[in-house]
Amino acid sequence: MVCLGNICRSPLAEGIIKSKLSNNFIVDSAGTANYHSGSAPDKRSIAVARKHGLDISNLKGRQFNVLDFDTFDFIYVMDESNFQNVIKLARHEDDIAKVKLILNEVHPNKNHEVPDPYYGGDYGFENVYQMLDEACDIIAKNLL
Ligand code: 4NP
């Protein structure tokens, strides 16, 4: 699960998809930027997760890196800008094929984005939670 800062959207996506999958899956999140490496998720993401019964408070931000293409079969990005930043690191077509806009799982080929809630109010975080929950339901069902 990849966003820009790895403190708002992608840690929430990580918590949600983990709650829907067994422990047989390797799940992680990362940011394309390194501003928040080592930081806990934004307190508003922690709060909205907690409201829905998930604890993401122990997650730590990290930057996406090229080795993630080897570790993971699927790389879900939140928006077009994350997509471009991840693709820049791809080494070949197989890497590129792993990268998907997460909301295309819900609305195929529409290229809808999960809005960055960082500068918005709490409603933004609940809205992001609902979008990610719907997408993660589909992702988990397809993997099981
Ligand atoms: P995220 O949100 O990409 O969903 O984690 C952001 C968090 C921090 C910043 C931007 C987006 N920032 O500019 O610090």
Side-chain angles (χ1 to χ4, degrees):
M1 298 297 181
V2 178
C3 62
L4 173 61
N6 193 208
I7 55 167
C8 295
R9 292 165 292 177
S10 61
L12 203 45
E14 177 183 348
I16 293 168
I17 192 70
K18 277 181 174 164
S19 76
K20 297 179 192 290
L21 292 173
S22 68
N23 291 331
N24 299 334
F25 292 88
I26 301 172
V27 177
D28 199 5
S29 64
T32 57
N34 69 355
Y35 334 122
H36 299 286
S37 289
S39 301
D42 187 285
K43 60 183 188 321
R44 297 163 296 176
S45 279
I46 293 174
V48 81
R50 185 170 293 135
K51 181 178 155 197
H52 294 278
L54 303 175
D55 181 6
I56 63 167
S57 62
N58 289 328
L59 299 182
K60 290 278 175 283
R62 73 171 180 93
Q63 189 172 24
F64 182 87
N65 69 81
V66 68
L67 296 179
D68 288 316
F69 288 115
D70 297 327
T71 306
F72 298 99
D73 297 315
F74 302 98
I75 297 167
Y76 291 104
V77 298
M78 302 294 136
D79 64 31
E80 199 64 54
S81 160
N82 309 149
F83 189 91
Q84 293 305 330
N85 286 326
V86 168
I87 290 293
K88 272 185 212 148
L89 298 175
R91 299 155 299 185
H92 40 63
E93 286 298 317
D94 291 351
D95 287 351
I96 294 172
K98 293 183 173 185
V99 188
K100 297 163 189 301
L101 274 170
I102 191 167
L103 293 185
N104 277 349
E105 301 300 307
V106 184
H107 308 286
N109 305 315
K110 296 281 194 218
N111 298 340
H112 290 169
E113 301 186 321
V114 181
D116 185 346
Y118 188 61
Y119 296 106
D122 290 341
Y123 172 74
F125 283 76
E126 178 61 30
N127 184 38
V128 164
Y129 178 90
Q130 295 299 339
M131 289 177 167
L132 293 175
D133 190 56
E134 189 179 13
C136 288
D137 252 344
I138 295 169
I139 293 168
K141 286 193 179 107
N142 288 339
L143 288 172
L144 295 175

